[in-house]
Amino acid sequence: MPRFSVIVPVFKVQGFLRECLDSVLEQSYRDIEVIAVDDRSPDGCGAILDEYAARDPRVQVLHLPENVGLGRARNAGMPLATGDFLFFLDSDDTLTPGALRAMADRLDASGDPDVLVFDYARTYWWGGTRRNVLAHVLTEVDDTFTVAEHPEILDLLMVVWNKVYRREFVHKHAFEFPPGYYEDTPWTFPVLLSAERIATLDRICLNYRQRRQGNILSTTSRKHFDVHDQYERVFAFVDSRPELASWRPYLHRKMGEHCLDILGKPDRLPPSDKAEFFRRTAELFAKHKPAGGPVDPEVRVLEGSYARYLVRRQAAGAGRLLGRRASQARRAAAGRVKGGWGALHARRPLDPGLVVYSAFSHRGVLGDPAAVYFKAREIAPHLRGVWVVQDAEQAALLPPDVEHVLLNTPRYHQVTARAQYFVNNVNWPGTLTKRPGSVHIHTHQGTPLKHMAADLLDKPGARYGVDVPQMLRRADRWDHSLVANRHSELVWERAYPCHFASARTGSPRNDVLVGATAQGQKAVRERLGIPADHTVVLYAPTRREYVRSGHVDRVDLARFAEDLGPAHTLVVRLHPSLSTGPARGMGLADLHRRGVLVDATDEPSVEDVMLASDALVTDYSALMFDYANLDRPIVLHTDDREAYAASRGTYFDVTAAPPGHVSGSYRELAWLFASGAWRDEDSTRLRGEFRSRYCEFDDGRAAERVVRTLLLGEDDWRPADGSAPRVPAPAAVHDQLASS
C-alpha cells in the first residue's frame, strides 16, 4: 500500500501535463501511486498519460467515456486509490522538489492526522512568484487541532489541492465532489469541519500556476452561478450535523464575501447577467441568515438593491481615486518641505565631527560601516556617528545607545546636509545632494566575482530592474572606494567609471574573521543553539538571475543534512535578497522548525555565522572571499556554472583557481564530506593560494585604517605595535581592466 495516492484530473492541458507529472514522479520520495483521470480531453493529453503509464508502473490511467468535469473526474479516481492519503493535484500545477518527503515526514511526526494543510506559491505566466500571504497561519499551531481550536485555518484559500486527506477518513464520511464550478467549496468546508485532527506544514509544496488564459475560473460565463448551488450544499451539510450549527454565521458571511468577490471581478460574469447574479446572491443570503445575528458591514450591501450596490462600488472607486490624488499631493508637499529643510541646512557649514552611516539599504548597524562605526567610537569618540535606518521597525532593533534618524524625515535631511563624512555599502538615495567638502566612503559588499554596475549593460537578464546610469550618477559622489585586493580595485574602477580613489584598506567587517578565536566561535554557537562539539557546515548559496525569483534549489537540504551524519550541524544562510521571498518556504523554514538544520538567514551579522562554522559550502557567493580569512575549508558546488556565467557574467572562472575542492553534482559534494577530502592537503593548498590573492589587504586593522586615514586624516599612520603596514600604496598605473 503506497503512502500517497496522487489523483490528477486531466482536461485540455497538454502543454503543462508533462511538467506536472514529472514534478510528481521525479520526487525523491517514491512511495506513491498516480491515478491520472483523462476527462475525455480533446487534445493529446490521453496519449501523454498512456506514454507515462507505459514507462512507470506507479502511473495508472483512467480514460472516461465522456467529459464529466473536474469534480466528478476526481470522484472517478478515488475508488482506484489504495494509498494511506489522497492528494488531488490539478494537472497544470506542479510539486516543488522534496515536497512529498516533507509531507510524509510531517504526517509521521503528527501521527497520521485526518488532514494535512501545506503552503503553496502562485507562479505567474510572466515569471513572477508570490507566496501565500496567509502562510503565517500554518506556523501558529505545532500540534494537531480541530477547526474549533484554530479557526484561522478557514481563512486560507478554500481549495482542495493545498491539503492531503487520510483515505479512511474520506471514506468514513463519504465525501465526494459535486458537479459544476467552485466544486472545492462543498468539499473543503465539510472536510475541515469534520476533521478531528488537522496538522499543518509550513512549506511551499505546490506551485499554483497562474495562466494567462485558459483558467476555468477566469472564463467569462454564466457557469459562475454554480457558486450558489455549492453553498446550498455546504449549508445542507451543516444542517445535517446539529453539532456544527455554531458555524452558520461564519459560513453565511463567507458565502456573501465569496459571491461579492465573483461579482466584482471584471472577467467572471457577462455584464448582462450581473444584476441577476446579485439578486440570486441576495436571496441566498436572506435564506440562510442566522436568526437575530448581526450582519457584517462588508456584506450588508446584500440586504439592499443592485442599484444601491452599484452606487456603493462607484463611491468606493471615487474614494480610491481621491485617496490616490491626496497621496500624490502629500508626497509633493513633503518633497517641498524636504527641499526646504535641505536648503535651510545647506546654508550652514559642514560639521567636521559628524559621520553618517548606513548599510544594506538602511537595514541597521551591519557590515563594513558597522565595523568602522564601532572602531571610531573606540579611538575617535569626538566623532558623532548617526545611522540612517529605513523605518521605526528597524530603529527598534538598534542598540539603545546608537543615535539614528529615519529615512526622509526632517532630522535625516538635517544630518545629511551638515555631515562631513558618509559611510555606506550601498549607494545613497538620489535625493541626497553631495555638498562641496563632504567625503563619501563607499565600502561595497565584498569582492566581486559576478558582473556589477556598468559591466551589466550586456547582461539583460541580470540588469532587469537595475538602472545602471542612475547607479553611476550616484557613484559619482564617492570619494573613496575600499578594496581588499587588487582584483577588486581594478574591477570597481571599470564597473564604476567615476571620480573616486581606491583605498587599499582591507574590508573592515573582516577584522573579526582575521582575529577569530575559539572562544568567539563557542559564543556564537551557544547563541544559535549548536552543540559545541559538532562539525558545522555553512551552506550559503547566492541568487540566480536566470530565474525571475532568484532562487533555485541546487541542493536537497534534508538529504545533505542527513548525509553529513551525526555530530554535524548544517547551517543555511540564503542571499539577503531572498530572505523575504518564497525561497524559505520551499522547505527551509520547515527543516529549521524540525531541527534538521539551522536557518541563519535572519541572523543580522553574517560574520557571526561564519565564525560559528567549520567549513563553507557555496557556489558563486562573494562570501567565499571573506571566509578565506578564517583559513577554514571551503567547497564550491557549481553544478550550474555555465548557466550562471551566461546569465550574470563572472570576472573569472573561480573553478579554475578555487579556494578548495569543487563539486559538479550532489554526488560529488556528498563524497567530499563522506571521504574527508573537504579538508585534505589539496584543500589547504588551494585555500592558501586563494587567500593570498583575495585577502591581500585584510590584516585585522582595516577598520582602524579607515578611521585613522580617511576620517582623521592621519596619512602617515602606522600600527601601534610599530610594524610596517601590510598595505601597499595604490598602483600608479593600472592594467587593461582599469577605466580609461
Side-chain angles (χ1 to χ4, degrees):
M1 179 184 298
R3 191 62 164 151
F4 295 105
S5 293
V6 184
I7 299 175
V8 186
V10 178
F11 182 74
K12 293 179 69 173
V13 287
Q14 63 179 9
F16 307 110
L17 183 55
R18 291 182 186 276
E19 185 179 1
C20 171
L21 295 174
D22 288 344
S23 76
V24 177
L25 299 172
E26 293 176 3
Q27 292 275 315
S28 59
Y29 188 86
R30 301 185 61 79
D31 188 16
I32 64 172
E33 64 180 4
V34 176
I35 301 168
V37 182
D38 174 16
D39 191 17
R40 197 66 176 176
S41 186
D43 57 8
C45 287
I48 294 173
L49 294 177
D50 290 339
E51 172 193 329
Y52 273 79
R55 70 171 186 247
D56 194 320
R58 296 175 297 168
V59 178
Q60 180 180 176
V61 180
L62 173 62
H63 295 282
L64 299 182
E66 61 180 358
N67 177 253
V68 298
L70 184 57
R72 288 180 171 177
R74 290 171 179 157
N75 292 340
M78 275 197 281
L80 303 179
T82 62
D84 297 330
F85 284 84
L86 304 178
F87 179 16
F88 300 98
L89 176 65
D90 286 355
S91 50
D92 55 351
D93 295 336
T94 57
L95 295 186
T96 61
L100 291 178
R101 166 59 67 186
M103 291 182 202
D105 289 346
R106 180 62 178 142
L107 291 171
D108 290 344
S110 54
D112 283 8
D114 296 327
V115 182
L116 173 67
V117 187
F118 52 81
D119 200 11
Y120 65 92
R122 284 180 165 87
T123 55
Y124 294 87
W125 61 269
W126 43 265
T129 301
R130 182 166 63 89
R131 189 177 186 182
N132 168 26
V133 296
L134 294 177
H136 62 88
V137 172
L138 300 175
T139 67
E140 293 171 353
V141 180
D142 189 52
D143 203 355
T144 58
F145 56 89
T146 64
V147 167
E149 294 167 335
H150 187 42
E152 293 80 6
I153 200 69
L154 293 177
D155 292 334
L156 296 175
L157 194 63
M158 284 291 103
V159 290
V160 65
W161 42 254
N162 64 348
K163 309 169 186 71
V164 294
Y165 313 86
R166 190 165 58 83
R167 185 166 60 90
E168 291 182 0
F169 163 72
V170 171
H171 286 172
K172 173 185 175 182
H173 293 275
F175 292 127
E176 63 177 8
F177 294 92
Y181 281 16
Y182 305 101
E183 76 292 334
D184 287 3
T185 299
W187 167 281
T188 307
F189 280 120
V191 163
L192 289 179
L193 292 173
S194 302
E196 297 179 2
R197 299 177 66 246
I198 302 171
T200 59
L201 173 59
D202 177 26
R203 187 194 194 281
I204 296 174
C205 295
L206 182 139
N207 288 320
Y208 176 29
R209 189 187 301 274
Q210 305 295 291
R211 292 158 64 176
R212 186 169 183 267
Q213 58 183 8
N215 186 313
I216 292 177
L217 292 185
S218 294
T219 303
T220 303
S221 166
R222 281 186 61 87
K223 289 287 289 179
H224 293 284
F225 279 77
D226 288 353
V227 71
H228 300 127
D229 291 338
Q230 306 298 21
Y231 273 101
E232 287 283 19
R233 293 183 173 97
V234 173
F235 285 113
F237 177 82
V238 172
D239 289 343
S240 70
R241 308 286 182 93
E243 69 275 14
L244 299 179
S246 62
W247 287 102
R248 286 186 63 86
Y250 171 86
L251 294 170
H252 180 254
R253 175 176 59 81
K254 201 75 172 176
M255 179 270 294
E257 291 175 348
H258 193 173
C259 292
L260 286 173
D261 180 65
I262 294 169
L263 183 62
K265 290 281 196 305
D267 58 352
R268 299 290 173 91
L269 294 162
S272 59
D273 293 328
K274 288 193 173 186
E276 180 186 352
F277 185 89
F278 179 89
R279 179 180 56 79
R280 291 270 301 275
T281 301
E283 292 172 354
L284 187 66
F285 191 75
K287 176 182 178 181
H288 293 288
K289 180 181 177 181
V295 177
D296 191 278
E298 294 299 316
V299 294
R300 193 173 296 154
V301 67
L302 288 170
E303 294 186 323
S305 66
Y306 181 61
R308 182 178 295 179
Y309 164 78
L310 291 178
V311 169
R312 178 177 172 178
R313 279 187 60 84
Q314 291 168 356
R320 287 192 294 270
L321 178 60
L322 289 174
R324 286 196 297 270
R325 290 177 176 173
S327 178
Q328 292 169 355
R330 285 193 298 270
R331 286 196 297 269
R336 289 192 294 271
V337 170
K338 293 169 186 174
W341 272 102
L344 172 65
H345 294 291
R347 290 195 291 269
R348 301 174 64 188
L350 294 176
D351 182 347
L354 178 57
V355 188
V356 177
Y357 297 89
S358 181
F360 299 104
S361 299
H362 322 301
R363 288 198 293 110
V365 183
L366 303 166
D368 287 315
V372 174
Y373 168 76
F374 286 116
K375 184 57 68 173
R377 286 180 53 164
E378 174 189 335
I379 64 178
H382 64 282
L383 293 177
R384 174 191 171 200
V386 180
W387 281 84
V388 177
V389 291
Q390 182 69 38
D391 49 36
E393 183 178 353
Q394 291 292 341
L397 302 176
L398 297 177
D401 59 342
V402 171
E403 185 178 357
H404 68 276
V405 295
L406 300 185
L407 183 67
N408 289 331
T409 59
R411 285 197 65 224
Y412 164 81
H413 291 285
Q414 178 183 354
V415 299
T416 55
R418 294 291 315 283
Q420 181 153 350
Y421 298 99
F422 293 80
V423 183
N424 199 345
N425 66 358
V426 178
N427 262 323
W428 290 97
T431 54
L432 192 153
T433 301
K434 177 176 168 59
R435 293 183 61 186
S438 64
V439 177
H440 283 240
I441 301 169
H442 193 74
T443 71
H444 302 283
Q445 295 181 38
T447 293
L449 171 62
K450 55 194 174 189
H451 282 183
M452 306 291 286
D455 290 330
L456 292 176
L457 290 174
D458 64 346
K459 297 292 180 182
R463 203 178 73 243
Y464 177 79
V466 177
D467 187 338
V468 174
Q470 181 188 66
M471 182 183 294
L472 298 184
R473 286 193 296 272
R474 294 179 177 183
D476 282 332
R477 295 176 296 200
W478 301 353
D479 293 286
H480 302 286
S481 165
L482 306 191
V483 297
N485 49 65
R486 298 171 207 263
H487 162 75
S488 295
E489 180 176 327
L490 296 175
V491 167
W492 294 139
E493 291 186 9
R494 186 180 82 172
Y496 291 95
C498 305
H499 304 287
F500 59 81
S502 294
R504 293 180 171 181
T505 58
S507 297
R509 68 185 182 282
N510 287 344
D511 289 347
V512 67
L513 304 181
V514 176
T517 63
Q519 189 61 34
Q521 182 186 56
K522 180 181 178 183
V524 178
R525 288 190 178 190
E526 288 178 354
R527 183 166 57 79
L528 295 178
I530 299 173
D533 60 342
H534 272 210
T535 298
V536 179
V537 178
L538 169 61
Y539 176 54
T542 193
R543 65 175 292 119
R544 264 61 171 180
E545 273 71 23
Y546 58 77
V547 292
R548 182 66 62 87
S549 68
H551 177 71
V552 179
D553 280 319
R554 307 307 311 177
V555 172
D556 184 333
L557 298 176
R559 180 181 178 186
F560 190 28
E562 182 179 358
D563 288 346
L564 286 174
H568 287 72
T569 295
L570 177 62
V571 176
V572 179
R573 186 178 179 89
L574 298 180
H575 190 275
S577 66
L578 303 176
S579 62
T580 58
R584 295 167 80 178
M586 303 296 281
L588 181 56
D590 176 58
L591 294 174
H592 175 81
R593 181 183 60 81
R594 293 195 283 124
V596 176
L597 49 74
V598 174
D599 176 11
T601 302
D602 284 340
E603 279 297 310
S605 171
V606 68
E607 291 77 32
D608 280 355
V609 178
M610 289 190 280
L611 283 172
S613 67
D614 296 300
L616 170 69
V617 177
T618 187
D619 35 42
Y620 322 101
S621 172
L623 207 66
M624 72 178 83
F625 300 98
D626 302 326
Y627 196 87
N629 282 289
L630 286 168
D631 198 21
R632 298 174 188 172
I634 300 173
V635 173
L636 298 188
H637 183 58
T638 60
D639 61 337
D640 63 342
R641 179 173 61 86
E642 292 182 357
Y644 184 86
S647 61
R648 178 64 191 239
T650 57
Y651 289 111
F652 60 92
D653 180 3
V654 70
T655 65
H661 290 295
V662 179
S663 60
S665 66
Y666 178 77
R667 182 178 181 181
E668 293 177 3
L669 176 63
W671 178 85
L672 285 171
F673 282 91
S675 66
W678 61 282
R679 54 183 175 184
D680 63 11
E681 292 182 2
D682 282 342
S683 170
T684 303
R685 175 184 57 80
L686 291 168
R687 184 170 69 254
E689 295 170 354
F690 187 87
R691 188 181 183 196
S692 67
R693 285 193 301 273
Y694 300 111
C695 303
E696 183 180 7
F697 305 152
D698 282 333
D699 61 354
R701 296 187 172 106
E704 183 174 6
R705 187 171 291 110
V706 171
V707 174
R708 297 283 188 189
T709 62
L710 302 184
L711 298 182
L712 300 179
E714 299 176 8
D715 295 333
D716 58 349
W717 174 77
R718 294 291 184 273
D721 58 11
S723 61
R726 179 176 162 188
V727 182
V733 179
H734 300 309
D735 68 11
Q736 61 183 354
L737 268 179
S739 57
S740 58

